[in-house]
Amino acid sequence: MDKRDEQAHLYERISKVLTIGIVTSIAIMIFGFLLLIRASTVQDVHLPSLGQLLAGFLRLDPSSIIWLATLILILTPISRVVTATLLFIRERDTRYFFITLTVLILIMVSFIVGLILSGFSL
Amino acid sequence: MDFSFLFLLVLVSILAGLLGSMLGIGGGLIIVPLLTLGFGVPLNQASGASLMAVIVTSSAGATYYVEQKIVNIRLGMLLEVSTVVGAIFGAFASNLLEQNSLGQILLRFLLAVVLVYGAYYMTLRVRDSSLQSRTSPSQRKGILEDIPGVFRDEVSGKEVSYFAHNIPRGLIAALGAGILSGLFGIGGGLVKVPAMILWMDVPTKVATATSNFMIGVTGTAGAAIYYTTGSVVPSIVAPVTIGVFAGAMVGSRISSRVNSVWLGRIFAVVLIFTAVELVAKALGVSPI
């Protein structure tokens, strides 16, 4: 593949990942929102654990469903960076591989800082 | 759940998304003060909801731009290093400031400044640099060397090649955009776009598309901190995200048919009033 095809392929892949993520997340969020309108009382859960989230999802708890939608939502841009990293590897662009890797690490740092802020313990 | 409250939230969010996309300032800058002043939503919860809305809108917009191969992914990723750092810092600072009354005033005062700048930004026509772009790279080498790019201009049908210059200055602007994004849950495009155009000689279209592409990633870094500080409230996030997204989708389609100059002028006045109200309320409510 010449460099241009490679580039076109890169754009295509990123685009596909974005669309899937957004459509899924918005669909789940609309579903959760409809349940929210129907529900008489809603408990807004702050930072549920993954187990709580899944349990809530199974009993169609609107709050948990919306939480799940936001999780997919914020994972979408991360997948964008991962895709870019992989494609820079394929293009053998070491410099940009390390740059995108740095972005990924920084995002992970943001999650860790967030967890520390919330007083999360393992 | 209070149906009328949710319904009103959706309606207001649609409006914010619509106006934001037509005026080029994004929905976040409109929805955050609106939720705080109009609905009494705490600023950090308003920012948390806005951040989610901004991630959706940016990602949906990015698919189009990426497909059109306008986004400069290398430029975006390099600037992202500094926006992400800024977003983490901003979200962290926002959380800390919101915990005491002096910090709350400072935060609202800052948001008011951003609103006034937003008003100025909307009415200002940033000159299109695509024609004046310097097409040669500078002498800088290494990680800060100029980034080349090519895109196909829809209007002329020609391929335009350019170099993104002044990477260090761009990184500083991106840091500022990231901090604002973390502080208020906005996209920060109104800082990045003019910086890319005026400082880095990037064509307007590429600057807008690349900024939009970056916003989702920046938003995620900020969101991670908002999540864990309890600022992401499902019953606010859902109506705001769905509403802003729907509004932005419609807005981006009809924006070419609307006289955005007058709309921008009218709305600039609204933003300035909002800024004044925000400061007045912060000073009046807080016991100093």
Side-chain angles (χ1 to χ4, degrees), chain B residues 55-75:
Chain B
I55 296 173
V56 180
T57 325
S58 129
S59 303
T63 53
Y64 171 74
Y65 282 121
V66 168
E67 270 159 6
Q68 298 297 304
K69 301 174 187 72
I70 301 173
V71 174
N72 188 326
I73 292 182
R74 283 187 169 78
L75 175 63

Side-chain angles (χ1 to χ4, degrees), chain A residues 74 76-78 80-81 103 106-107 110-111, chain B residues 51-52 54-55 58-59 76-77 79-91 173-183 185-189 192 210-226:
Chain A
I74 69 164
T76 306
I78 299 178
R80 188 187 310 191
V81 186
V103 174
L106 285 171
I107 291 173
S110 78
F111 277 86
Chain B
L51 209 50
M52 294 297 164
V54 160
I55 296 173
S58 129
S59 303
M77 284 301 165
L79 294 183
E80 201 61 71
V81 174
S82 80
T83 45
V84 168
V85 172
I88 297 173
F89 177 78
L175 184 72
I179 293 175
L180 289 183
S181 174
L183 277 176
I186 60 175
K192 271 179 292 177
T210 305
S211 162
N212 190 58
F213 176 77
M214 292 168 64
I215 285 169
V217 184
T218 314
T220 292
I225 291 167
Y226 275 91

Side-chain angles (χ1 to χ4, degrees), chain B residues 126-193:
Chain B
V126 178
R127 80 186 151 87
D128 191 335
S129 65
S130 56
L131 299 174
Q132 297 116 299
S133 285
R134 282 184 285 146
T135 47
S136 57
S138 62
Q139 296 303 310
R140 217 193 298 268
K141 285 282 161 236
I143 200 139
L144 298 176
E145 78 183 21
D146 298 342
I147 300 170
V150 186
F151 81 105
R152 210 181 155 77
D153 187 38
E154 274 174 32
V155 183
S156 62
K158 281 186 200 147
E159 294 225 315
V160 181
S161 36
Y162 60 90
F163 279 93
H165 299 105
N166 291 324
I167 302 293
R169 269 217 245 175
L171 285 170
I172 293 169
L175 184 72
I179 293 175
L180 289 183
S181 174
L183 277 176
F184 304 117
I186 60 175
L190 73 173
V191 175
K192 271 179 292 177
V193 173

Side-chain angles (χ1 to χ4, degrees), chain A residues 5 27 29 34 47 51 75 85 97 106 122:
Chain A
D5 286 348
M29 196 173 282
L34 293 176
L47 194 70
L75 284 178
T85 315
F97 163 71
L106 285 171
L122 282 170

Side-chain angles (χ1 to χ4, degrees), chain A residues 39 44 67 70 80 91 114 118, chain B residues 1 59 71 74 213 227-228 235:
Chain A
D44 275 322
W67 262 101
T70 64
R80 188 187 310 191
E91 281 191 17
S118 70
Chain B
M1 196 73 200
S59 303
V71 174
R74 283 187 169 78
F213 176 77
Y227 252 118
T228 48
S235 59

